[in-house]
Amino acid sequence: MKALKLSTVLLVLYSSTLLVCDEKLENYISETKKEQFRYDYQKNEAESSKLRDSWIAPLNLNYSYSKSNPYSDEQISENASIKMDQPIFQSGGIYYGIKFAEASKIYADYSIDVAKRKLIKDAVSLLMQIKQIDLKREKQNLLIKNAEISLAQKKEDYLSGQLDSGFLDSAIIERNQLIQALYDIETSKERLISKFNAISDMDYKDAAVPKLRTLTQKEFLDENIVLTMSQSEIEKNRYFTDVTMAKYLPKVNLVAGYNWDKSDAIFQFGPNEKDYYNVGFKANLPLDINSFRDMESSKVDYMKSKLAVEDRKRELRAIYEQVMQNIQNLEKKKQLSIENRDIYERLLADTKQLFEAGYKAEFDVELMQNSVEIQKSDVNIFEIDKQLELLTLYEMYKNEI
């Protein structure tokens, strides 16, 4: 009856780890974390707008007021002016500057997305590990029960003179080591809960864990947020190369201004208040000894970013292959546990028959029942290990889980 109850508990624990999650990914992180990311996006928007409009020159508004008495008579002078020095042609620099600002925003947004996805992955990973450690704790309790059964049997054999004291000492040590390991598991769980609570508002007891499916390599690469970010960097660097080149090409600025002066000086000739304007244009062609080096440097960054994408693809393929290899090994371990479970189930059936016939003790039945449940726990633990491996891929997968 106890074994049946324990089996039910394990099934509930494992089932809770396989719920298909209807929550949005963002819900796994706390409101304060989400708010911080929102501020990051807002700042990125503001910086991008500032960069996009940086070609628009400011209007300079000036005003001065002075009072003096050089000839014992007080004199007041006022001056106001508006001046503009606005670029209207920069050999494509204005256009490429705007495109560079747009590309920079896209790249920066992806950078935030990557950081945000990593935090979500950490939260889901911690949640999975908490669910898994519950299974490990139940398994450890079963191992302790089996050790206690073994200890009781050895104690009887020792007292009847059929067993040396060294075997009894070994059984006591083994039981104590298993109990100490249980304490370590409980400590690990508390640490995981603490880390989870630091980044999520969810109650880990009620939080659903997403069931992840296996991705193909094509899906992993085609919808990879890290790779997309690297590709956006190519576009950003390409426009920056054009912006850099435009700095050393001819420029034309519209120049305009308006001035107003007022003075009540005694010896002033002409009206004491006047205003005038000026309008025109100016052309500029910078001849800089470092122009070629500057353009070459930006071009190198562009070419390097293109190579970085290919290098990133290679890294991502290696990550995918490693995850798939790890999953294959976990499947082998899982299959072995299933085979062991089947063996113990057959042994349990035989032991029950022998117990009913009076050839086996109740301890023997309980020992076999616990061994069956231990193997079931291992199957579920390996399944969560598989989910944790897949989570490595989903951290970089753009689509929702």
Side-chain angles (χ1 to χ4, degrees):
M1 189 70 180
K2 287 183 179 179
L4 181 60
K5 184 178 179 182
L6 185 57
S7 177
T8 303
V9 171
L10 288 173
L11 182 60
V12 170
L13 285 171
Y14 176 59
S15 298
S16 69
T17 69
L18 297 183
L19 293 174
V20 177
C21 185
D22 294 327
E23 299 280 0
K24 289 185 177 181
L25 289 177
E26 276 195 352
N27 292 343
Y28 283 99
I29 57 178
S30 66
E31 286 299 322
T32 54
K33 298 290 185 186
K34 286 187 277 188
E35 189 68 17
Q36 288 177 45
F37 283 118
R38 281 194 285 269
Y39 282 132
D40 286 338
Y41 287 121
Q42 288 177 16
K43 181 180 179 181
N44 185 36
E45 177 71 31
E47 290 292 332
S48 175
S49 298
K50 183 172 71 173
L51 182 61
R52 181 195 62 209
D53 298 335
S54 61
W55 67 277
I56 301 175
L59 280 175
N60 292 308
L61 306 178
N62 299 293
Y63 172 79
S64 65
Y65 173 89
S66 63
K67 182 165 61 173
S68 62
N69 59 346
Y71 305 106
S72 299
D73 291 322
E74 188 176 80
Q75 300 178 11
I76 297 175
S77 297
E78 293 180 87
N79 175 266
S81 66
I82 301 175
K83 295 181 180 180
M84 180 181 69
D85 189 351
Q86 174 60 49
I88 57 175
F89 175 76
Q90 291 186 348
S91 300
I94 295 175
Y95 170 78
Y96 291 124
I98 294 172
K99 300 303 288 184
F100 172 69
E102 293 172 350
S104 296
K105 179 183 181 300
I106 292 171
Y107 174 77
D109 280 344
Y110 277 126
S111 300
I112 298 170
D113 290 342
V114 168
K116 185 177 179 181
R117 200 58 180 261
K118 184 183 184 306
L119 189 62
I120 292 170
K121 179 253 187 181
D122 290 342
V124 175
S125 175
L126 288 167
L127 192 56
M128 286 182 175
Q129 291 176 70
I130 291 170
K131 303 295 185 182
Q132 186 186 55
I133 213 163
D134 284 335
L135 294 171
K136 290 181 178 179
R137 185 176 60 178
E138 295 300 331
K139 173 187 172 181
Q140 196 67 19
N141 282 323
L142 291 169
L143 291 170
I144 291 170
K145 287 183 179 181
N146 278 1
E148 289 174 342
I149 293 171
S150 178
L151 176 59
Q153 291 173 333
K154 286 181 172 61
K155 187 184 293 183
E156 289 180 4
D157 292 341
Y158 170 72
L159 293 175
S160 64
Q162 298 178 18
L163 193 68
D164 185 83
S165 63
F167 290 99
L168 182 60
D169 289 340
S170 297
I172 294 172
I173 292 171
E174 181 183 356
R175 172 184 171 276
N176 290 343
Q177 288 175 337
L178 290 171
I179 293 174
Q180 289 173 2
L182 176 62
Y183 296 154
D184 291 338
I185 289 173
E186 290 173 345
T187 300
S188 297
K189 180 180 178 180
E190 292 305 316
R191 287 174 181 162
L192 290 170
I193 292 172
S194 178
K195 290 180 180 179
F196 179 75
N197 289 339
I199 60 176
S200 178
D201 292 332
M202 286 183 169
D203 185 342
Y204 77 92
K205 296 176 183 177
D206 303 324
V209 182
K211 177 69 169 66
L212 308 178
R213 66 177 181 85
T214 302
L215 299 174
T216 65
Q217 187 178 89
K218 186 176 185 304
E219 286 177 315
F220 178 60
L221 293 177
D222 288 351
E223 301 295 330
N224 193 289
I225 192 171
V226 175
L227 187 59
T228 305
M229 182 182 72
S230 296
Q231 290 168 337
S232 70
E233 187 177 18
I234 296 177
E235 194 77 354
K236 177 175 75 78
N237 288 344
R238 182 171 73 86
Y239 284 122
F240 184 70
T241 300
D242 295 328
V243 169
T244 303
M245 184 179 296
K247 286 197 308 183
Y248 303 103
L249 296 177
K251 304 175 186 178
V252 177
N253 284 25
L254 174 65
V255 180
Y258 171 79
N259 287 269
W260 170 81
D261 290 296
K262 180 180 179 182
S263 175
D264 59 356
I266 298 175
F267 301 105
Q268 178 175 305
F269 296 98
N272 65 348
E273 182 175 354
K274 58 185 177 181
D275 63 324
Y276 61 94
Y277 71 88
N278 65 289
V279 63
F281 71 89
K282 66 179 182 180
N284 173 260
L285 176 61
L287 298 176
D288 191 328
I289 191 173
N290 288 316
S291 59
F292 176 76
R293 298 185 184 97
D294 195 11
M295 288 185 284
E296 188 66 19
S297 177
S298 62
K299 185 177 179 181
V300 166
D301 285 338
Y302 170 60
M303 299 303 295
K304 184 179 177 181
S305 61
K306 292 177 71 175
L307 287 175
V309 168
E310 295 304 314
D311 201 40
R312 178 67 69 184
K313 285 181 181 178
R314 183 191 297 246
E315 291 175 3
L316 293 172
R317 288 192 195 100
I319 290 172
Y320 180 85
E321 290 169 2
Q322 183 63 61
V323 168
M324 291 299 106
Q325 184 62 48
N326 293 344
I327 288 175
Q328 286 180 15
N329 291 333
L330 288 169
E331 287 293 346
K332 291 176 184 177
K333 292 179 181 179
K334 179 180 172 183
Q335 187 58 39
L336 182 60
S337 294
I338 291 173
E339 292 172 3
N340 290 341
R341 180 199 64 194
D342 294 341
I343 292 172
Y344 279 118
E345 284 178 343
R346 288 193 294 269
L347 288 171
L348 175 61
D350 293 340
T351 303
K352 284 180 178 179
Q353 291 179 357
L354 292 171
F355 169 68
E356 291 172 0
Y359 294 105
K360 289 290 182 182
E362 186 177 356
F363 278 160
D364 295 316
V365 176
E366 189 176 351
L367 191 69
M368 284 298 139
Q369 181 66 64
N370 290 341
S371 297
V372 170
E373 299 303 326
I374 287 170
Q375 297 306 314
K376 288 181 179 179
S377 294
D378 279 340
V379 171
N380 297 338
I381 288 169
F382 289 139
E383 180 60 31
I384 296 180
D385 278 332
K386 176 183 173 182
Q387 293 290 297
L388 287 167
E389 287 291 337
L390 288 173
L391 195 58
T392 303
L393 304 182
Y394 275 87
E395 177 188 354
M396 296 175 273
Y397 190 56
K398 285 193 289 187
N399 297 337
E400 290 281 325
I401 292 177

